[in-house]
Amino acid sequence: MSSNIKIERICEWCGNRFMAQTTVTRFCSKRCAEHSYKERMRQKKMALSNQETSQCNPDRKSRDKDFLTPTETAQFLGVCRTYIYDSINRGKIKVTRIGRKTLISKADIQAMFDFLTPKETEPSESTERKSKSISDFYTRAEIREKFGVKDSWIYKVVAENNVPKTILRGKAYFSKSHIDRLFSARKENPEITEWYSVEDIQSKYGMTLSAIYSLVSKIGIPKRKEGPKVYYSKYHFDVAKGAKSAEDVEFISVADAMEKYSLTRDQLYHYVKTYKITKLRCGKYVKLNAKELAELFNPKIEL
């Protein structure tokens, strides 16, 4: 049942006068009651937080103490307790033991910092290398012309190796030193003078495109590119197909090469792949070009 009492009261939140129907009504509306409740909760949380802060404040606890426990020392220095115990075990921090209690003199802690000197840092080689300015750049057209690669391959290499670049009037320029280093492995061997086109190989050996690409990838036949056309080393292809017999070119087995040059199998295959040493497959065995290995590991020195 609703009350017929009409009492004029003042809202505790907004201060407006209103007509209440009970003697204990404190607010003029639900909105004022909710605002008042939220404010009380906020003040309560702030008081609780301030109380916890004052209780956990290491400065207040250790301000008037001459001796601290390891836990208080960790709080005083702002480090973990494990570091304090490690320093105690290594003898860096002196302690006093009273029964089972370990105490640390605050004076000893202050004395630790008297021997510390600011560490002078010198710029590292990487910092100096990064600080050097890059003044020589390639355009995409220059990279295409010099190394015979497509734009898609240029962008892929640049993205994977984080090549420095700059944009000038909407045109991209790439660091010359980085591009030379990344694409230098693509330079063709100047000693190779005769080349096969794909059409030449198909007409001579009757091979399909997939067979040609598979053999080139498997054996590592040197190739060069002129625009959209690709050419393969005639000498290496003839050796791979057996057109040049093993008598014409001297080959040695992998085991002999490992023994001769004191290399492991992994090291030898690394050099074979990197420097494109000619390989000859004899059944399940692989032989390597002895002349090319000798030139690689025993280069001629001109005086």
Side-chain angles (χ1 to χ4, degrees), residues 164-208:
K165 66 178 181 179
T166 184
I167 305 296
L168 182 61
R169 295 181 180 178
K171 197 172 185 179
Y173 294 84
F174 305 95
S175 170
K176 187 174 182 179
S177 59
H178 291 76
I179 293 296
D180 287 339
R181 176 172 54 83
L182 293 171
F183 286 94
S184 59
R186 300 180 61 88
K187 292 182 179 179
E188 62 188 49
N189 188 348
E191 296 182 358
I192 302 175
T193 57
E194 295 181 311
W195 302 86
Y196 276 140
S197 66
V198 175
E199 293 78 9
D200 295 336
I201 297 173
Q202 287 179 324
S203 62
K204 183 173 182 177
Y205 295 107
M207 300 174 65
T208 62

Side-chain angles (χ1 to χ4, degrees), residues 50-114:
N50 292 334
Q51 182 180 359
E52 292 176 352
T53 303
S54 62
Q55 291 176 354
C56 298
N57 189 355
D59 293 337
R60 178 171 295 184
K61 279 188 172 185
S62 58
R63 184 177 300 162
D64 300 326
K65 289 185 177 181
D66 293 331
F67 292 89
L68 305 174
T69 64
T71 301
E72 292 172 342
T73 304
Q75 294 175 348
F76 181 73
L77 296 177
V79 296
C80 62
R81 289 196 309 165
T82 305
Y83 176 79
I84 298 298
Y85 282 113
D86 288 343
S87 300
I88 292 173
N89 294 332
R90 291 197 300 266
K92 289 186 176 181
I93 298 178
K94 298 179 181 179
V95 297
T96 301
R97 302 187 187 276
I98 302 177
R100 300 179 60 183
K101 196 166 187 177
T102 301
L103 297 176
I104 302 171
S105 173
K106 189 186 291 185
D108 292 339
I109 298 175
Q110 297 291 347
M112 289 173 56
F113 295 94
D114 295 338

